[in-house]
Amino acid sequence: HRDKKRDKEKVKEKEKAKEKERDRDKEKERNWDRDKEKERERDKERNRDKDKEKDQEREKEWHKDRERVRDKDRDRDRDKDREKNKEKEKDREVDQNKEKDDVTKEGENDREKIKDKEGDTDRGEKEKDKEKEKDEKKEKKEREKERDDKKKKEKRSRTPPRSYSSSRRSRSSSR
């Protein structure tokens, strides 16, 4: 009878031990699963960090590329501006040369006009001189006429003028 009890107790203890072992195994398995899950989470976190770093690097590269493109565009624009400025400068020089030529032509034209005007003024002066000469001739004729009239009167009075002989000489020399 005791043996049976002992056997039962042994069986119970064995079962308890087995159950404890099962519980330990289950606990181990849970722990192992938990550890595995934690490790997976850590890996995911690491991968996320790596992805973030990669994204940041990609973004940096993208920004660098954009800056390079901007710089190239800026350089291209600068070159274009330089070319345009060179062309403008050439155009300015051509315009200045044209202006110089125009100014010299205008100067020549002005000189010719001035010569023409001088010629015109000379003509005008010549005409004025001619008119003056005509006026002077008329005045001389009138004076001579007056003198002749005076002389005739004097002859009539039969008294010769004082300067009769001298005036006659001067008249004969002017003729």
Side-chain angles (χ1 to χ4, degrees), residues 83-104:
E83 298 240 345
K84 283 181 184 175
N85 287 338
K86 282 181 185 176
E87 287 177 19
K88 284 181 183 176
E89 194 62 35
K90 284 180 185 175
D91 289 346
R92 278 191 207 128
E93 286 177 18
V94 168
D95 289 346
Q96 285 177 351
N97 290 337
K98 282 183 182 175
E99 284 179 28
K100 283 180 186 176
D101 291 345
D102 291 347
V103 167
T104 52

Side-chain angles (χ1 to χ4, degrees), residues 49-62:
D49 289 345
K50 283 180 183 175
D51 287 347
K52 278 183 183 177
E53 284 177 19
K54 282 180 182 176
D55 287 347
Q56 285 177 346
E57 282 181 36
R58 276 192 216 115
E59 206 164 312
K60 282 181 184 177
E61 282 296 316
W62 184 74

Side-chain angles (χ1 to χ4, degrees), residues 23-170:
D23 286 347
R24 268 191 235 124
D25 286 346
K26 281 182 181 177
E27 189 65 32
K28 278 182 183 176
E29 208 172 299
R30 274 189 226 127
N31 285 341
W32 188 81
D33 285 345
R34 224 181 280 132
D35 287 346
K36 278 285 179 185
E37 191 63 34
K38 281 182 183 177
E39 200 170 311
R40 275 192 215 117
E41 283 296 319
R42 271 189 234 118
D43 286 347
K44 282 182 181 177
E45 195 65 36
R46 266 191 235 116
N47 287 336
R48 272 189 220 123
D49 289 345
K50 283 180 183 175
D51 287 347
K52 278 183 183 177
E53 284 177 19
K54 282 180 182 176
D55 287 347
Q56 285 177 346
E57 282 181 36
R58 276 192 216 115
E59 206 164 312
K60 282 181 184 177
E61 282 296 316
W62 184 74
H63 283 294
K64 282 181 183 176
D65 289 344
R66 285 195 71 187
E67 278 186 41
R68 282 187 206 120
V69 167
R70 261 190 240 125
D71 289 345
K72 283 180 183 175
D73 288 347
R74 242 184 259 132
D75 290 344
R76 202 177 306 122
D77 290 345
R78 279 188 201 139
D79 290 343
K80 284 180 183 175
D81 289 344
R82 282 188 197 130
E83 298 240 345
K84 283 181 184 175
N85 287 338
K86 282 181 185 176
E87 287 177 19
K88 284 181 183 176
E89 194 62 35
K90 284 180 185 175
D91 289 346
R92 278 191 207 128
E93 286 177 18
V94 168
D95 289 346
Q96 285 177 351
N97 290 337
K98 282 183 182 175
E99 284 179 28
K100 283 180 186 176
D101 291 345
D102 291 347
V103 167
T104 52
K105 285 179 184 174
E106 283 179 22
E108 289 172 11
N109 290 340
D110 289 347
R111 283 189 209 112
E112 288 175 17
K113 285 180 184 176
I114 290 170
K115 285 180 185 174
D116 290 346
K117 283 182 183 177
E118 284 175 358
D120 290 347
T121 53
D122 287 348
R123 285 185 212 127
E125 285 176 16
K126 285 178 184 174
E127 287 174 15
K128 286 179 186 175
D129 290 345
K130 286 181 183 176
E131 285 179 25
K132 281 183 185 177
E133 285 177 20
K134 284 181 183 177
D135 290 345
E136 286 174 8
K137 284 182 183 177
K138 282 182 184 177
E139 285 177 21
K140 269 189 182 179
K141 283 183 182 177
E142 284 178 20
R143 281 189 218 130
E144 285 178 16
K145 219 180 196 183
E146 285 175 15
R147 281 187 204 145
D148 289 344
D149 289 346
K150 280 183 184 178
K151 286 178 187 173
K152 284 179 184 175
K153 281 181 186 177
E154 284 175 11
K155 277 186 181 177
R156 285 182 198 149
S157 65
R158 297 267 180 203
T159 53
R162 291 181 198 158
S163 62
Y164 180 74
S165 58
S166 62
S167 64
R168 203 167 181 183
R169 280 187 221 126
S170 63

Side-chain angles (χ1 to χ4, degrees), residues 11-21:
V11 168
K12 279 184 182 177
E13 279 178 23
K14 279 183 182 177
E15 281 179 15
K16 279 184 182 176
K18 279 182 182 178
E19 208 166 302
K20 277 184 179 178
E21 186 125 350

